[in-house]
Each structure stands twice: as C-alpha cells, then as structure tokens.
PDB file of all heavy atoms in Angstrom:
ATOM      1  N   GLY U   1    -336.597 -61.357 -85.876  1.00 91.00           N
ATOM      2  CA  GLY U   1    -335.901 -62.043 -86.837  1.00 91.00           C
ATOM      3  C   GLY U   1    -335.041 -61.142 -87.693  1.00 91.00           C
ATOM      4  O   GLY U   1    -333.969 -61.571 -88.152  1.00 91.00           O
ATOM      5  N   LEU U   2    -335.478 -59.993 -88.008  1.00 91.00           N
ATOM      6  CA  LEU U   2    -334.718 -59.016 -88.804  1.00 91.00           C
ATOM      7  C   LEU U   2    -333.492 -58.545 -88.045  1.00 91.00           C
ATOM      8  O   LEU U   2    -332.417 -58.443 -88.461  1.00 91.00           O
ATOM      9  CB  LEU U   2    -335.627 -57.899 -89.235  1.00 91.00           C
ATOM     10  CG  LEU U   2    -334.909 -56.811 -90.099  1.00 91.00           C
ATOM     11  CD1 LEU U   2    -334.362 -57.477 -91.357  1.00 91.00           C
ATOM     12  CD2 LEU U   2    -335.824 -55.716 -90.401  1.00 91.00           C
ATOM     13  N   ILE U   3    -333.647 -58.238 -86.769  1.00 90.00           N
ATOM     14  CA  ILE U   3    -332.520 -57.927 -85.844  1.00 90.00           C
ATOM     15  C   ILE U   3    -331.488 -58.997 -85.835  1.00 90.00           C
ATOM     16  O   ILE U   3    -330.290 -58.744 -85.927  1.00 90.00           O
ATOM     17  CB  ILE U   3    -333.038 -57.581 -84.433  1.00 90.00           C
ATOM     18  CG1 ILE U   3    -333.970 -56.352 -84.400  1.00 90.00           C
ATOM     19  CG2 ILE U   3    -331.809 -57.411 -83.510  1.00 90.00           C
ATOM     20  CD1 ILE U   3    -333.248 -55.017 -84.705  1.00 90.00           C
ATOM     21  N   GLN U   4    -331.975 -60.221 -85.741  1.00 91.00           N
ATOM     22  CA  GLN U   4    -330.969 -61.392 -85.720  1.00 91.00           C
ATOM     23  C   GLN U   4    -330.263 -61.473 -87.170  1.00 91.00           C
ATOM     24  O   GLN U   4    -329.074 -61.763 -87.120  1.00 91.00           O
ATOM     25  CB  GLN U   4    -331.685 -62.660 -85.413  1.00 91.00           C
ATOM     26  CG  GLN U   4    -332.224 -62.797 -84.069  1.00 91.00           C
ATOM     27  CD  GLN U   4    -333.018 -64.105 -83.812  1.00 91.00           C
ATOM     28  OE1 GLN U   4    -333.183 -64.858 -84.656  1.00 91.00           O
ATOM     29  NE2 GLN U   4    -333.401 -64.262 -82.624  1.00 91.00           N
ATOM     30  N   LEU U   5    -330.976 -61.161 -88.159  1.00 90.00           N
ATOM     31  CA  LEU U   5    -330.261 -61.161 -89.514  1.00 90.00           C
ATOM     32  C   LEU U   5    -329.239 -60.035 -89.674  1.00 90.00           C
ATOM     33  O   LEU U   5    -328.174 -60.343 -90.231  1.00 90.00           O
ATOM     34  CB  LEU U   5    -331.427 -60.956 -90.653  1.00 90.00           C
ATOM     35  CG  LEU U   5    -330.989 -60.982 -92.018  1.00 90.00           C
ATOM     36  CD1 LEU U   5    -330.499 -62.347 -92.422  1.00 90.00           C
ATOM     37  CD2 LEU U   5    -332.076 -60.581 -92.987  1.00 90.00           C
ATOM     38  N   ILE U   6    -329.572 -58.868 -89.262  1.00 92.00           N
ATOM     39  CA  ILE U   6    -328.711 -57.729 -89.519  1.00 92.00           C
ATOM     40  C   ILE U   6    -327.602 -57.560 -88.419  1.00 92.00           C
ATOM     41  O   ILE U   6    -326.593 -56.908 -88.621  1.00 92.00           O
ATOM     42  CB  ILE U   6    -329.368 -56.462 -89.774  1.00 92.00           C
ATOM     43  CG1 ILE U   6    -330.110 -56.006 -88.536  1.00 92.00           C
ATOM     44  CG2 ILE U   6    -330.279 -56.542 -90.959  1.00 92.00           C
ATOM     45  CD1 ILE U   6    -330.744 -54.619 -88.580  1.00 92.00           C
ATOM     46  N   GLY U   7    -327.781 -58.158 -87.269  1.00 94.00           N
ATOM     47  CA  GLY U   7    -326.989 -58.061 -86.146  1.00 94.00           C
ATOM     48  C   GLY U   7    -327.259 -56.654 -85.430  1.00 94.00           C
ATOM     49  O   GLY U   7    -328.346 -56.206 -85.415  1.00 94.00           O
ATOM     50  N   THR U   8    -326.209 -56.054 -84.833  1.00 93.00           N
ATOM     51  CA  THR U   8    -326.340 -54.763 -84.177  1.00 93.00           C
ATOM     52  C   THR U   8    -326.451 -53.638 -85.320  1.00 93.00           C
ATOM     53  O   THR U   8    -325.535 -53.497 -86.018  1.00 93.00           O
ATOM     54  CB  THR U   8    -325.180 -54.460 -83.284  1.00 93.00           C
ATOM     55  OG1 THR U   8    -325.018 -55.584 -82.373  1.00 93.00           O
ATOM     56  CG2 THR U   8    -325.396 -53.165 -82.490  1.00 93.00           C
ATOM     57  N   PRO U   9    -327.658 -52.956 -85.346  1.00 94.00           N
ATOM     58  CA  PRO U   9    -327.773 -51.945 -86.340  1.00 94.00           C
ATOM     59  C   PRO U   9    -326.891 -50.677 -85.945  1.00 94.00           C
ATOM     60  O   PRO U   9    -326.722 -50.334 -84.837  1.00 94.00           O
ATOM     61  CB  PRO U   9    -329.240 -51.546 -86.229  1.00 94.00           C
ATOM     62  CG  PRO U   9    -329.902 -52.556 -85.438  1.00 94.00           C
ATOM     63  CD  PRO U   9    -328.875 -53.156 -84.557  1.00 94.00           C
ATOM     64  N   VAL U  10    -326.119 -50.231 -86.993  1.00 96.00           N
ATOM     65  CA  VAL U  10    -325.324 -49.132 -86.882  1.00 96.00           C
ATOM     66  C   VAL U  10    -325.915 -47.963 -87.672  1.00 96.00           C
ATOM     67  O   VAL U  10    -326.030 -47.986 -88.859  1.00 96.00           O
ATOM     68  CB  VAL U  10    -323.862 -49.450 -87.398  1.00 96.00           C
ATOM     69  CG1 VAL U  10    -322.933 -48.196 -87.348  1.00 96.00           C
ATOM     70  CG2 VAL U  10    -323.230 -50.695 -86.762  1.00 96.00           C
ATOM     71  N   LEU U  11    -326.163 -46.867 -86.872  1.00 96.00           N
ATOM     72  CA  LEU U  11    -326.743 -45.653 -87.520  1.00 96.00           C
ATOM     73  C   LEU U  11    -325.851 -45.078 -88.586  1.00 96.00           C
ATOM     74  O   LEU U  11    -324.722 -44.836 -88.340  1.00 96.00           O
ATOM     75  CB  LEU U  11    -327.150 -44.616 -86.521  1.00 96.00           C
ATOM     76  CG  LEU U  11    -327.778 -43.382 -87.015  1.00 96.00           C
ATOM     77  CD1 LEU U  11    -329.105 -43.647 -87.704  1.00 96.00           C
ATOM     78  CD2 LEU U  11    -327.922 -42.329 -85.962  1.00 96.00           C
ATOM     79  N   VAL U  12    -326.377 -44.878 -89.784  1.00 97.00           N
ATOM     80  CA  VAL U  12    -325.656 -44.181 -90.844  1.00 97.00           C
ATOM     81  C   VAL U  12    -326.070 -42.739 -90.898  1.00 97.00           C
ATOM     82  O   VAL U  12    -325.102 -41.914 -90.968  1.00 97.00           O
ATOM     83  CB  VAL U  12    -325.897 -44.970 -92.213  1.00 97.00           C
ATOM     84  CG1 VAL U  12    -325.144 -44.166 -93.399  1.00 97.00           C
ATOM     85  CG2 VAL U  12    -325.504 -46.392 -92.171  1.00 97.00           C
ATOM     86  N   THR U  13    -327.316 -42.478 -91.064  1.00 96.00           N
ATOM     87  CA  THR U  13    -327.752 -41.123 -91.213  1.00 96.00           C
ATOM     88  C   THR U  13    -329.266 -40.956 -90.991  1.00 96.00           C
ATOM     89  O   THR U  13    -329.988 -42.017 -90.964  1.00 96.00           O
ATOM     90  CB  THR U  13    -327.392 -40.546 -92.538  1.00 96.00           C
ATOM     91  OG1 THR U  13    -327.545 -39.117 -92.539  1.00 96.00           O
ATOM     92  CG2 THR U  13    -328.231 -41.129 -93.688  1.00 96.00           C
ATOM     93  N   HIS U  14    -329.765 -39.744 -90.826  1.00 97.00           N
ATOM     94  CA  HIS U  14    -331.147 -39.404 -90.882  1.00 97.00           C
ATOM     95  C   HIS U  14    -331.339 -38.528 -92.171  1.00 97.00           C
ATOM     96  O   HIS U  14    -330.404 -37.739 -92.485  1.00 97.00           O
ATOM     97  CB  HIS U  14    -331.639 -38.738 -89.688  1.00 97.00           C
ATOM     98  CG  HIS U  14    -331.256 -39.307 -88.396  1.00 97.00           C
ATOM     99  ND1 HIS U  14    -332.000 -40.450 -87.998  1.00 97.00           N
ATOM    100  CD2 HIS U  14    -330.368 -39.065 -87.402  1.00 97.00           C
ATOM    101  CE1 HIS U  14    -331.603 -40.851 -86.809  1.00 97.00           C
ATOM    102  NE2 HIS U  14    -330.595 -40.024 -86.383  1.00 97.00           N
ATOM    103  N   MET U  15    -332.423 -38.655 -92.791  1.00 96.00           N
ATOM    104  CA  MET U  15    -332.707 -37.783 -93.959  1.00 96.00           C
ATOM    105  C   MET U  15    -334.245 -37.660 -94.218  1.00 96.00           C
ATOM    106  O   MET U  15    -334.976 -38.420 -93.902  1.00 96.00           O
ATOM    107  CB  MET U  15    -332.005 -38.192 -95.177  1.00 96.00           C
ATOM    108  CG  MET U  15    -332.566 -39.488 -95.851  1.00 96.00           C
ATOM    109  SD  MET U  15    -331.844 -39.941 -97.467  1.00 96.00           S
ATOM    110  CE  MET U  15    -330.116 -39.939 -97.101  1.00 96.00           C
ATOM    111  N   MET U  16    -334.617 -36.511 -94.896  1.00 97.00           N
ATOM    112  CA  MET U  16    -335.878 -36.286 -95.222  1.00 97.00           C
ATOM    113  C   MET U  16    -336.060 -36.824 -96.693  1.00 97.00           C
ATOM    114  O   MET U  16    -335.111 -36.639 -97.474  1.00 97.00           O
ATOM    115  CB  MET U  16    -336.336 -34.838 -95.380  1.00 97.00           C
ATOM    116  CG  MET U  16    -337.734 -34.473 -95.649  1.00 97.00           C
ATOM    117  SD  MET U  16    -338.896 -35.183 -94.596  1.00 97.00           S
ATOM    118  CE  MET U  16    -338.713 -34.099 -93.214  1.00 97.00           C
ATOM    119  N   VAL U  17    -337.084 -37.700 -96.891  1.00 96.00           N
ATOM    120  CA  VAL U  17    -337.237 -38.342 -98.194  1.00 96.00           C
ATOM    121  C   VAL U  17    -338.579 -38.093 -98.738  1.00 96.00           C
ATOM    122  O   VAL U  17    -339.649 -38.125 -98.080  1.00 96.00           O
ATOM    123  CB  VAL U  17    -337.073 -39.884 -98.143  1.00 96.00           C
ATOM    124  CG1 VAL U  17    -337.295 -40.564 -99.439  1.00 96.00           C
ATOM    125  CG2 VAL U  17    -335.692 -40.254 -97.564  1.00 96.00           C
ATOM    126  N   ASP U  18    -338.695 -37.789-100.009  1.00 93.00           N
ATOM    127  CA  ASP U  18    -339.935 -37.568-100.732  1.00 93.00           C
ATOM    128  C   ASP U  18    -339.867 -38.457-101.951  1.00 93.00           C
ATOM    129  O   ASP U  18    -338.733 -39.061-102.234  1.00 93.00           O
ATOM    130  CB  ASP U  18    -340.362 -36.200-101.034  1.00 93.00           C
ATOM    131  CG  ASP U  18    -339.340 -35.396-101.986  1.00 93.00           C
ATOM    132  OD1 ASP U  18    -338.620 -36.086-102.763  1.00 93.00           O
ATOM    133  OD2 ASP U  18    -339.432 -34.189-102.008  1.00 93.00           O
ATOM    134  N   GLU U  19    -340.852 -38.554-102.785  1.00 91.00           N
ATOM    135  CA  GLU U  19    -340.895 -39.385-103.918  1.00 91.00           C
ATOM    136  C   GLU U  19    -339.885 -38.991-105.012  1.00 91.00           C
ATOM    137  O   GLU U  19    -339.640 -39.753-105.941  1.00 91.00           O
ATOM    138  CB  GLU U  19    -342.319 -39.608-104.591  1.00 91.00           C
ATOM    139  CG  GLU U  19    -342.817 -38.257-105.012  1.00 91.00           C
ATOM    140  CD  GLU U  19    -343.653 -37.438-103.971  1.00 91.00           C
ATOM    141  OE1 GLU U  19    -343.756 -37.896-102.816  1.00 91.00           O
ATOM    142  OE2 GLU U  19    -344.100 -36.326-104.319  1.00 91.00           O
ATOM    143  N   HIS U  20    -339.246 -37.806-104.952  1.00 92.00           N
ATOM    144  CA  HIS U  20    -338.292 -37.395-105.964  1.00 92.00           C
ATOM    145  C   HIS U  20    -336.825 -37.559-105.509  1.00 92.00           C
ATOM    146  O   HIS U  20    -335.998 -37.361-106.316  1.00 92.00           O
ATOM    147  CB  HIS U  20    -338.526 -35.890-106.168  1.00 92.00           C
ATOM    148  CG  HIS U  20    -339.890 -35.555-106.621  1.00 92.00           C
ATOM    149  ND1 HIS U  20    -340.445 -35.951-107.836  1.00 92.00           N
ATOM    150  CD2 HIS U  20    -340.927 -34.803-106.041  1.00 92.00           C
ATOM    151  CE1 HIS U  20    -341.677 -35.509-107.972  1.00 92.00           C
ATOM    152  NE2 HIS U  20    -341.959 -34.854-106.833  1.00 92.00           N
ATOM    153  N   LYS U  21    -336.660 -38.129-104.337  1.00 93.00           N
ATOM    154  CA  LYS U  21    -335.250 -38.323-103.864  1.00 93.00           C
ATOM    155  C   LYS U  21    -334.711 -39.474-104.647  1.00 93.00           C
ATOM    156  O   LYS U  21    -335.326 -40.434-104.944  1.00 93.00           O
ATOM    157  CB  LYS U  21    -335.354 -38.763-102.316  1.00 93.00           C
ATOM    158  CG  LYS U  21    -333.998 -39.114-101.753  1.00 93.00           C
ATOM    159  CD  LYS U  21    -333.251 -37.770-101.415  1.00 93.00           C
ATOM    160  CE  LYS U  21    -331.909 -38.133-100.734  1.00 93.00           C
ATOM    161  NZ  LYS U  21    -330.970 -37.120-100.871  1.00 93.00           N
ATOM    162  N   LYS U  22    -333.408 -39.275-105.036  1.00 92.00           N
ATOM    163  CA  LYS U  22    -332.654 -40.314-105.775  1.00 92.00           C
ATOM    164  C   LYS U  22    -331.884 -41.220-104.921  1.00 92.00           C
ATOM    165  O   LYS U  22    -331.022 -40.777-104.025  1.00 92.00           O
ATOM    166  CB  LYS U  22    -331.767 -39.680-106.743  1.00 92.00           C
ATOM    167  CG  LYS U  22    -332.459 -38.776-107.729  1.00 92.00           C
ATOM    168  CD  LYS U  22    -333.212 -39.464-108.814  1.00 92.00           C
ATOM    169  CE  LYS U  22    -333.929 -38.578-109.835  1.00 92.00           C
ATOM    170  NZ  LYS U  22    -334.732 -39.157-110.700  1.00 92.00           N
ATOM    171  N   PHE U  23    -332.006 -42.552-105.088  1.00 89.00           N
ATOM    172  CA  PHE U  23    -331.248 -43.544-104.441  1.00 89.00           C
ATOM    173  C   PHE U  23    -330.624 -44.410-105.524  1.00 89.00           C
ATOM    174  O   PHE U  23    -331.203 -44.583-106.527  1.00 89.00           O
ATOM    175  CB  PHE U  23    -332.048 -44.388-103.469  1.00 89.00           C
ATOM    176  CG  PHE U  23    -332.567 -43.603-102.187  1.00 89.00           C
ATOM    177  CD1 PHE U  23    -333.765 -43.045-102.216  1.00 89.00           C
ATOM    178  CD2 PHE U  23    -331.753 -43.638-101.091  1.00 89.00           C
ATOM    179  CE1 PHE U  23    -334.273 -42.394-101.137  1.00 89.00           C
ATOM    180  CE2 PHE U  23    -332.289 -42.914 -99.973  1.00 89.00           C
ATOM    181  CZ  PHE U  23    -333.495 -42.290 -99.984  1.00 89.00           C
ATOM    182  N   ALA U  24    -329.511 -45.000-105.170  1.00 87.00           N
ATOM    183  CA  ALA U  24    -328.865 -45.805-106.203  1.00 87.00           C
ATOM    184  C   ALA U  24    -329.421 -47.214-106.336  1.00 87.00           C
ATOM    185  O   ALA U  24    -329.499 -47.686-107.499  1.00 87.00           O
ATOM    186  CB  ALA U  24    -327.334 -46.125-105.684  1.00 87.00           C
ATOM    187  N   LYS U  25    -330.086 -47.750-105.358  1.00 87.00           N
ATOM    188  CA  LYS U  25    -330.609 -49.163-105.552  1.00 87.00           C
ATOM    189  C   LYS U  25    -332.126 -49.278-105.284  1.00 87.00           C
ATOM    190  O   LYS U  25    -332.593 -50.389-105.285  1.00 87.00           O
ATOM    191  CB  LYS U  25    -329.878 -50.065-104.515  1.00 87.00           C
ATOM    192  CG  LYS U  25    -328.380 -50.098-104.929  1.00 87.00           C
ATOM    193  CD  LYS U  25    -327.690 -51.228-104.097  1.00 87.00           C
ATOM    194  CE  LYS U  25    -326.203 -51.249-104.581  1.00 87.00           C
ATOM    195  NZ  LYS U  25    -325.578 -52.334-104.088  1.00 87.00           N
ATOM    196  N   VAL U  26    -332.789 -48.211-105.076  1.00 91.00           N
ATOM    197  CA  VAL U  26    -334.324 -48.283-104.822  1.00 91.00           C
ATOM    198  C   VAL U  26    -334.889 -46.967-105.248  1.00 91.00           C
ATOM    199  O   VAL U  26    -334.276 -45.990-105.105  1.00 91.00           O
ATOM    200  CB  VAL U  26    -334.512 -48.635-103.343  1.00 91.00           C
ATOM    201  CG1 VAL U  26    -334.194 -47.495-102.485  1.00 91.00           C
ATOM    202  CG2 VAL U  26    -336.029 -48.967-103.127  1.00 91.00           C
ATOM    203  N   LYS U  27    -336.154 -47.166-105.750  1.00 93.00           N
ATOM    204  CA  LYS U  27    -336.963 -45.956-106.003  1.00 93.00           C
ATOM    205  C   LYS U  27    -337.444 -45.457-104.660  1.00 93.00           C
ATOM    206  O   LYS U  27    -337.975 -46.187-103.892  1.00 93.00           O
ATOM    207  CB  LYS U  27    -338.093 -46.373-106.961  1.00 93.00           C
ATOM    208  CG  LYS U  27    -337.719 -46.732-108.387  1.00 93.00           C
ATOM    209  CD  LYS U  27    -338.859 -46.997-109.188  1.00 93.00           C
ATOM    210  CE  LYS U  27    -338.483 -47.482-110.558  1.00 93.00           C
ATOM    211  NZ  LYS U  27    -339.639 -47.793-111.367  1.00 93.00           N
ATOM    212  N   ALA U  28    -337.475 -44.113-104.649  1.00 94.00           N
ATOM    213  CA  ALA U  28    -337.987 -43.504-103.323  1.00 94.00           C
ATOM    214  C   ALA U  28    -339.379 -43.895-103.047  1.00 94.00           C
ATOM    215  O   ALA U  28    -339.849 -44.128-101.960  1.00 94.00           O
ATOM    216  CB  ALA U  28    -337.796 -42.013-103.475  1.00 94.00           C
ATOM    217  N   GLU U  29    -340.269 -43.959-104.118  1.00 95.00           N
ATOM    218  CA  GLU U  29    -341.644 -44.447-103.944  1.00 95.00           C
ATOM    219  C   GLU U  29    -341.748 -45.794-103.365  1.00 95.00           C
ATOM    220  O   GLU U  29    -342.543 -45.971-102.425  1.00 95.00           O
ATOM    221  CB  GLU U  29    -342.286 -44.386-105.282  1.00 95.00           C
ATOM    222  CG  GLU U  29    -342.464 -43.110-106.014  1.00 95.00           C
ATOM    223  CD  GLU U  29    -342.900 -43.222-107.446  1.00 95.00           C
ATOM    224  OE1 GLU U  29    -342.957 -44.347-108.002  1.00 95.00           O
ATOM    225  OE2 GLU U  29    -343.227 -42.178-108.099  1.00 95.00           O
ATOM    226  N   ASP U  30    -340.937 -46.752-103.833  1.00 94.00           N
ATOM    227  CA  ASP U  30    -340.958 -48.104-103.287  1.00 94.00           C
ATOM    228  C   ASP U  30    -340.456 -48.120-101.855  1.00 94.00           C
ATOM    229  O   ASP U  30    -341.112 -48.798-100.998  1.00 94.00           O
ATOM    230  CB  ASP U  30    -340.089 -49.052-104.174  1.00 94.00           C
ATOM    231  CG  ASP U  30    -340.611 -49.155-105.544  1.00 94.00           C
ATOM    232  OD1 ASP U  30    -341.807 -48.857-105.832  1.00 94.00           O
ATOM    233  OD2 ASP U  30    -339.803 -49.516-106.463  1.00 94.00           O
ATOM    234  N   LEU U  31    -339.442 -47.393-101.515  1.00 95.00           N
ATOM    235  CA  LEU U  31    -338.880 -47.265-100.208  1.00 95.00           C
ATOM    236  C   LEU U  31    -340.012 -46.750 -99.268  1.00 95.00           C
ATOM    237  O   LEU U  31    -340.250 -47.394 -98.179  1.00 95.00           O
ATOM    238  CB  LEU U  31    -337.693 -46.445-100.181  1.00 95.00           C
ATOM    239  CG  LEU U  31    -337.017 -46.205 -98.810  1.00 95.00           C
ATOM    240  CD1 LEU U  31    -335.479 -46.400 -98.913  1.00 95.00           C
ATOM    241  CD2 LEU U  31    -337.267 -44.893 -98.267  1.00 95.00           C
ATOM    242  N   LEU U  32    -340.656 -45.673 -99.584  1.00 95.00           N
ATOM    243  CA  LEU U  32    -341.643 -45.025 -98.727  1.00 95.00           C
ATOM    244  C   LEU U  32    -342.766 -45.918 -98.579  1.00 95.00           C
ATOM    245  O   LEU U  32    -343.347 -45.991 -97.513  1.00 95.00           O
ATOM    246  CB  LEU U  32    -342.045 -43.701 -99.336  1.00 95.00           C
ATOM    247  CG  LEU U  32    -341.031 -42.594 -99.275  1.00 95.00           C
ATOM    248  CD1 LEU U  32    -341.485 -41.327-100.023  1.00 95.00           C
ATOM    249  CD2 LEU U  32    -340.653 -42.179 -97.842  1.00 95.00           C
ATOM    250  N   SER U  33    -343.235 -46.645 -99.673  1.00 95.00           N
ATOM    251  CA  SER U  33    -344.322 -47.538 -99.566  1.00 95.00           C
ATOM    252  C   SER U  33    -344.023 -48.647 -98.591  1.00 95.00           C
ATOM    253  O   SER U  33    -344.852 -49.129 -97.815  1.00 95.00           O
ATOM    254  CB  SER U  33    -344.709 -48.131-100.889  1.00 95.00           C
ATOM    255  OG  SER U  33    -345.254 -47.177-101.742  1.00 95.00           O
ATOM    256  N   ALA U  34    -342.893 -49.248 -98.704  1.00 95.00           N
ATOM    257  CA  ALA U  34    -342.429 -50.356 -97.834  1.00 95.00           C
ATOM    258  C   ALA U  34    -342.486 -49.893 -96.389  1.00 95.00           C
ATOM    259  O   ALA U  34    -342.904 -50.656 -95.442  1.00 95.00           O
ATOM    260  CB  ALA U  34    -341.114 -50.911 -98.191  1.00 95.00           C
ATOM    261  N   ILE U  35    -341.914 -48.794 -96.116  1.00 95.00           N
ATOM    262  CA  ILE U  35    -341.876 -48.279 -94.698  1.00 95.00           C
ATOM    263  C   ILE U  35    -343.289 -48.081 -94.174  1.00 95.00           C
ATOM    264  O   ILE U  35    -343.633 -48.446 -93.087  1.00 95.00           O
ATOM    265  CB  ILE U  35    -341.012 -46.973 -94.638  1.00 95.00           C
ATOM    266  CG1 ILE U  35    -339.572 -47.302 -94.855  1.00 95.00           C
ATOM    267  CG2 ILE U  35    -341.242 -46.306 -93.176  1.00 95.00           C
ATOM    268  CD1 ILE U  35    -338.708 -46.072 -94.959  1.00 95.00           C
ATOM    269  N   GLN U  36    -344.144 -47.510 -95.053  1.00 94.00           N
ATOM    270  CA  GLN U  36    -345.598 -47.319 -94.643  1.00 94.00           C
ATOM    271  C   GLN U  36    -346.252 -48.667 -94.391  1.00 94.00           C
ATOM    272  O   GLN U  36    -347.021 -48.828 -93.392  1.00 94.00           O
ATOM    273  CB  GLN U  36    -346.287 -46.520 -95.685  1.00 94.00           C
ATOM    274  CG  GLN U  36    -346.591 -45.099 -95.393  1.00 94.00           C
ATOM    275  CD  GLN U  36    -347.490 -44.492 -96.275  1.00 94.00           C
ATOM    276  OE1 GLN U  36    -347.707 -44.823 -97.428  1.00 94.00           O
ATOM    277  NE2 GLN U  36    -348.265 -43.527 -95.688  1.00 94.00           N
ATOM    278  N   GLU U  37    -346.080 -49.564 -95.184  1.00 94.00           N
ATOM    279  CA  GLU U  37    -346.823 -50.989 -95.141  1.00 94.00           C
ATOM    280  C   GLU U  37    -346.153 -51.916 -94.112  1.00 94.00           C
ATOM    281  O   GLU U  37    -346.928 -52.473 -93.345  1.00 94.00           O
ATOM    282  CB  GLU U  37    -346.822 -51.557 -96.495  1.00 94.00           C
ATOM    283  CG  GLU U  37    -347.665 -50.889 -97.508  1.00 94.00           C
ATOM    284  CD  GLU U  37    -347.540 -51.334 -98.912  1.00 94.00           C
ATOM    285  OE1 GLU U  37    -347.059 -52.522 -99.014  1.00 94.00           O
ATOM    286  OE2 GLU U  37    -347.842 -50.690 -99.830  1.00 94.00           O
TER     287      GLU U  37
END
C-alpha cells in the first residue's frame, strides 16, 4: 500500500543518522524509532 501511495521510489541519498542529527521536519529520535518499530 505504501509503494502504491508513493509510486516508484527515487533514491535521494544514504546517510548515517544518530539521535543528534538535525532534520528540518522530524526529530532524529522519532525517525529512528519509527524505522525500528
């Protein structure tokens, strides 16, 4: 269902993330938790 929603995923980048990484629209802690869960 997610693939249908986003269409063909286009790779933007790879990166190392820890809880101190700054993102404009999400806290790194929330991002990492969501990926884990």
Side-chain angles (χ1 to χ4, degrees):
L2 181 59
I3 294 289
Q4 291 176 1
L5 176 70
I6 66 171
T8 303
V10 178
L11 180 65
V12 175
T13 192
H14 304 290
M15 70 172 55
M16 184 63 71
V17 176
D18 64 19
E19 61 273 358
H20 304 292
K21 178 77 174 161
K22 301 287 184 192
F23 290 95
K25 297 189 177 194
V26 65
K27 292 180 182 178
E29 296 168 349
D30 296 339
L31 181 132
L32 292 170
S33 291
I35 293 173
Q36 257 192 328
E37 292 171 17

